[in-house]
Amino acid sequence: MAPSSDTSAQALLPNGLRDLLPPDAFSLTRASGRLMAVFAAHGYERVEPPLIEFEESLFSGAGHSASANSFRVMDPISRRMMGLRQDMTPQVARIAASRLRDAPRPLRLAYGGTVLRVQGTQLRPDRQTTQVGFELVGQNGTEALGEVVLVALDALEQLDIGPVTLDLVCPALVPALCEAAGLDPVTAERVREALGQKDLKAVETLVPAGQAAVFTALARAMGPVERAVEVLESLALPAQAAVHRDALLDMARRVLAFIGSGNVTVDPFEFRGFEYKTGPAFSFFARGARGELGRGGAYVNSFGGVNEPCCGVSLYLETLVEITGRSPECPRILVDPATSLAGRRALQDKGFVTVTSPGAPLDGDEARRLNCARWLSPEGDIRDASPPPVCGQAS
Amino acid sequence: MAPSSDTSAQALLPNGLRDLLPPDAFSLTRASGRLMAVFAAHGYERVEPPLIEFEESLFSGAGHSASANSFRVMDPISRRMMGLRQDMTPQVARIAASRLRDAPRPLRLAYGGTVLRVQGTQLRPDRQTTQVGFELVGQNGTEALGEVVLVALDALEQLDIGPVTLDLVCPALVPALCEAAGLDPVTAERVREALGQKDLKAVETLVPAGQAAVFTALARAMGPVERAVEVLESLALPAQAAVHRDALLDMARRVLAFIGSGNVTVDPFEFRGFEYKTGPAFSFFARGARGELGRGGAYVNSFGGVNEPCCGVSLYLETLVEITGRSPECPRILVDPATSLAGRRALQDKGFVTVTSPGAPLDGDEARRLNCARWLSPEGDIRDASPPPVCGQAS
């Protein structure tokens, strides 16, 4: 069922939007189901917020950064503007802080659904993607962070994508160092950008002589987690930076205790996309994937002024499915259209997908035409569809 | 986890949009998964069109009737208007007629997803719902219609909603009778409306004396399918009306052969919502449901000028889930946050949902607070959470 090329202007979709055809649409659903099943087994219960909400709620708190890149629709009934969600985590935060405000903490919520953005990225031009994740509401300390990492890795393991690398980050660490160094906000931002690009030379030109040493020392913590732990432990840091360093160290040790050191790295300078993460955070990577598989970390849910500690993980389903092994398809069998439901179910119970072809002959040729490896004869025998004729021409 | 009332204006959702909380969000996903699994077993392969498309493609052909009640968004990149889908069947028709134009027929496609409308109905005020269905592309004769009814009933049987009633209709029958009677279009429309409301008296005032007899005779075909078949067979009808009657009869006999007569009715006058169905059609009902469970029938896919015969079924997931029995929840067990993944999985394999409470004592009180019936002692014993203290006060 390969897609055919299509020249009809009517059938053209907007850039960044696409139809998923068989078997890709099935793969996406199956992967989502597997991830959600793992979240559920660890106590994360599903919530389903609507796809559109009033701007005021969708873009408040953690949702603020999504505002510029989100579609808007006018609600002709309330005459207020609504936004199409670009990220489900602010919605889950809203639910936790409002409708589930009185539910016992820690509150564990899972979610999965379509998100839309006005413009994709160069690496990921899709404007519609599927976000799947879970949030632990009420805690964001080391134990809570360790749990969300554990659950995410457990879920990723179900997808048959090979080894996953976990990259630990701490987006608040560099800003704390800059503040302790007395850098003005503009210079601090430049230093952060330079460090994000691992450009230590640029940092040396930006900060006064003698103050670059701490950044150079921190750079040695970049890489495999064991060495990173050693380096981070040995650093003498200003008070607030030391608090963040200690939180990162705690998470690193927790992760090591849970999953061993095989595929864990540390990047003390990474911050992009972690803008609302207040504590340690992390990303998942795997060989062959276009960009990261997902990310998570500690933050504070400020919805409605509550300021509740939280941590959670979001996974990017399309990225995951691209590197997920295809499952073997069920064999298809052609049956007579008059076959009863009981007769079809008996074949389905044997692992077959039953297919009919009303008005067509029931034979091997017809079976093959409909991509069926077998057909059920009028006598009730399961027969092989004859192999396709040998093609004499090289194509 | 009952929802708490909420007075924060920020947390108010637009009318007709809502958050699904546990366990309802899970029930919806589970029901969708069960339906899609049945469609797949009968050869219907999943496609996933995008949530938004250019107006030109979304509202062409069968999508035209959805145009007035659909949300629009501006695409700042193409500077063209896009619509949010209100119905997925026109999208599936587009895919069948364009990208899968060259796939062998009959082509079987399944779909499931969110649809949005500007305004709900009095019976169904929801503006966001979930549509699940399948289309058989390339045929819409009796055998094809019989198959889609069979597959839909097979799917509905998985949902534990009790007996389903199938109501057979033929929306083109009354217009054919009106045309044969020489009624002008305005009168014909009034007759159709009156018959839709089963108001035979009004019909007698609308049509010339002597011409009402055929409608009165047809009214006797309303009800259980066996009698309807007898009545329909005995009617002398004008040529085009007889063609539609015969198609309805064929479908009725096919359905009788497949599923017996238990819960099958015929309504020769129903037409509402079947505007683009050219042949026989049907609705599903069940006790306790608000409105119909779904509907389907024969139509012609005119996308891109192809005019291909098709038939299919759409099911309304929220309506179905409201009458679906709740599955027993997995028992929850409180475990130490330091429990390894292997330790958690061992409990999950026994059917438990594992839950931790970082920083809290590991005991029966804490288990009960987190809705866990059991807790795992440090010695590794599974213990009952002690029952809640007897409440001395009447509430």
Side-chain angles (χ1 to χ4, degrees), chain A residues 209-347:
Chain A
Q211 295 202 335
V214 68
F215 297 108
T216 315
L218 197 55
R220 289 187 296 117
M222 210 154 51
V225 65
E226 298 92 333
R227 208 193 51 183
V229 166
E230 272 178 42
V231 171
L232 288 170
E233 279 171 342
S234 71
L235 285 181
L237 294 178
Q240 189 54 37
V243 168
H244 291 300
R245 184 264 316 268
D246 292 347
L248 177 59
L249 265 176
D250 280 348
M251 180 169 71
R253 291 194 199 102
R254 184 83 185 175
V255 164
L256 279 170
F258 262 140
I259 60 173
S261 59
N263 293 292
V264 184
T265 58
V266 172
D267 185 343
F269 298 143
E270 184 59 73
F271 68 95
R272 278 161 291 205
F274 290 107
E275 281 75 9
Y276 70 93
K277 295 288 189 293
T278 55
F282 47 84
S283 299
F284 301 100
F285 294 92
R287 191 180 297 272
R290 271 199 289 163
E292 62 193 351
L293 310 177
R295 53 168 56 189
Y299 62 99
V300 171
N301 178 11
S302 60
F303 189 92
V306 174
N307 290 326
E308 185 167 29
C310 294
C311 55
V313 171
S314 282
L315 300 175
Y316 310 138
L317 203 57
E318 281 78 5
T319 306
L320 288 166
V321 169
E322 280 176 1
I323 56 167
T324 300
R326 278 198 182 165
S327 70
E329 286 179 37
C330 289
R332 289 158 61 96
I333 184 167
L334 183 68
V335 304
D336 189 280
T339 308
S340 69
L341 183 54
R344 295 176 198 219
R345 280 183 179 165
L347 290 162

Side-chain angles (χ1 to χ4, degrees), chain A residues 75 127 147 154 345 356, chain B residues 75 127 147 154 345 356:
Chain A
D75 180 6
R127 299 159 83 184
E147 167 167 319
D154 189 15
R345 280 183 179 165
T356 71
Chain B
D75 180 6
R127 300 160 83 184
E147 166 166 321
D154 189 15
R345 280 182 178 166
T356 71

Side-chain angles (χ1 to χ4, degrees), chain B residues 233-245:
Chain B
E233 280 172 341
S234 70
L235 285 181
L237 294 177
Q240 189 54 40
V243 168
H244 291 300
R245 183 264 318 266

Side-chain angles (χ1 to χ4, degrees), chain B residues 27-296:
Chain B
S27 301
L28 200 77
T29 315
R30 188 188 49 182
S32 169
R34 287 182 180 174
L35 296 172
M36 297 299 292
V38 173
F39 305 159
H42 290 279
Y44 292 83
E45 297 188 274
R46 187 161 191 155
V47 291
E48 185 118 4
L51 200 81
I52 51 180
E53 287 192 23
F54 288 133
E55 286 185 310
E56 290 89 324
S57 65
L58 197 58
F59 303 131
S60 76
H64 179 71
S65 61
S67 171
N69 201 18
S70 294
F71 287 109
R72 304 290 202 287
V73 287
M74 174 71 177
D75 180 6
I77 294 178
S78 65
R79 303 196 184 171
R80 289 168 65 188
M81 289 304 289
M82 303 191 292
L84 270 75
R85 67 181 176 214
Q86 193 202 121
D87 180 1
M88 293 182 76
T89 53
Q91 296 189 299
V92 176
R94 173 182 59 72
I95 291 173
S98 58
R99 299 190 63 189
L100 297 178
R101 181 176 54 190
D102 299 328
R105 266 48 177 173
L107 173 65
R108 290 176 167 85
L109 300 176
Y111 60 89
T114 302
V115 292
L116 290 137
R117 53 187 176 182
V118 172
Q119 189 141 29
T121 62
Q122 202 162 15
L123 193 64
R124 282 269 156 219
D126 285 343
R127 300 160 83 184
Q128 172 175 331
T129 56
T130 312
Q131 186 185 18
V132 170
F134 58 97
E135 305 292 324
L136 197 161
V137 178
Q139 300 221 358
N140 67 12
T142 303
E143 288 188 313
L145 277 167
E147 166 166 321
V148 299
V149 168
L150 190 75
V151 171
L153 288 172
D154 189 15
L156 290 170
E157 207 175 292
Q158 311 305 312
L159 293 192
D160 186 27
I161 53 175
V164 170
T165 298
L166 173 66
D167 192 39
L168 305 177
V169 304
C170 191
L173 181 51
V174 168
L177 283 176
C178 290
E179 201 179 324
L183 301 181
D184 65 273
V186 173
T187 307
E189 188 53 36
R190 282 191 195 153
V191 167
R192 198 183 197 193
E193 287 288 345
L195 288 171
Q197 295 165 30
K198 326 299 176 208
D199 186 353
L200 285 167
K201 284 218 164 61
V203 174
E204 281 168 21
T205 67
L206 285 163
V207 302
Q211 295 201 336
V214 68
F215 298 108
T216 314
L218 198 56
R220 288 187 298 117
M222 212 156 50
V225 65
E226 297 93 333
R227 209 194 50 183
V229 166
E230 274 177 41
V231 171
L232 288 169
E233 280 172 341
S234 70
L235 285 181
L237 294 177
Q240 189 54 40
V243 168
H244 291 300
R245 183 264 318 266
D246 291 347
L248 178 58
L249 265 176
D250 281 348
M251 180 169 73
R253 292 195 198 100
R254 185 82 185 175
V255 163
L256 278 170
F258 263 141
I259 61 173
S261 61
N263 292 292
V264 184
T265 57
V266 173
D267 185 343
F269 297 144
E270 184 58 74
F271 68 95
R272 278 163 290 205
F274 290 106
E275 280 75 8
Y276 71 92
K277 295 288 190 291
T278 55
F282 47 83
S283 300
F284 301 99
F285 294 91
R287 190 180 297 272
R290 272 199 287 162
E292 61 192 353
L293 310 177
R295 53 169 54 190

Side-chain angles (χ1 to χ4, degrees), chain A residues 158-182:
Chain A
Q158 310 306 312
L159 294 192
D160 186 26
I161 53 174
V164 170
T165 298
L166 172 67
D167 191 39
L168 305 178
V169 304
C170 192
L173 180 53
V174 167
L177 282 175
C178 291
E179 202 180 323

